[in-house]
Amino acid sequence: LKQHLRSCGRNNPYEGGLPSCALLVMIWCFLTTRKDLAAAEPGFAVAEFLRFFGTQFEARKVGISTTGFFPRVADDRCDPAVVRDPVGGGNMARGCFAFADVQREWAELFHRLRAGDAG
């Protein structure tokens, strides 16, 4: 996932991309809330991650933490996405002003995988 973000220029936080630590929390949250994926093939789990975060996740309404998803509150509404730091509690995605682009890239990759063209 990080390599894909790198290939489309969305991996550097200082350029509005998604930090690695935020991606890790997103993966952790997704896998711990989707118990049905515990026995799934890794490729299927990755495709489900891409489908969910690329086409269904509403970043303006829902935040992400290691303990699960949570409704966003008014004081963090200006941030494009909220991914809670498990140590300090801050928002690791605060500078990810291109989060919508990250989601769009993941949606496109999901559709290409589903069509059999991951190219």
Side-chain angles (χ1 to χ4, degrees), residues 5 10 13-14 18 28 45 48 66 71 76 83 93 101 110:
L5 290 177
R10 297 291 177 220
Y14 57 87
L18 188 65
W28 178 267
E48 282 297 292
T66 55
D76 66 19
V83 181
D101 295 333
F110 169 71

Side-chain angles (χ1 to χ4, degrees), residues 1 45-55 106-107 109-110 113:
L1 291 170
V46 170
E48 282 297 292
F49 178 93
L50 293 169
R51 181 188 60 78
F52 176 72
F53 281 109
T55 67
W106 283 343
L109 181 57
F110 169 71
L113 286 171

Side-chain angles (χ1 to χ4, degrees), residues 33-67:
T33 57
R34 287 286 309 269
K35 304 293 186 201
D36 60 311
L37 295 175
E41 292 289 327
F44 180 76
V46 170
E48 282 297 292
F49 178 93
L50 293 169
R51 181 188 60 78
F52 176 72
F53 281 109
T55 67
Q56 296 178 331
F57 182 69
E58 295 183 72
R60 293 281 179 198
K61 296 180 181 179
V62 180
I64 305 160
S65 76
T66 55
T67 58

Side-chain angles (χ1 to χ4, degrees), residues 2 5 9-19 80-81 92-103:
K2 190 64 176 177
L5 290 177
R10 297 291 177 220
N11 65 310
N12 293 322
Y14 57 87
E15 295 176 344
L18 188 65
M92 295 187 297
R94 174 164 279 144
C96 186
F97 58 82
F99 192 79
D101 295 333
V102 168
Q103 288 189 280

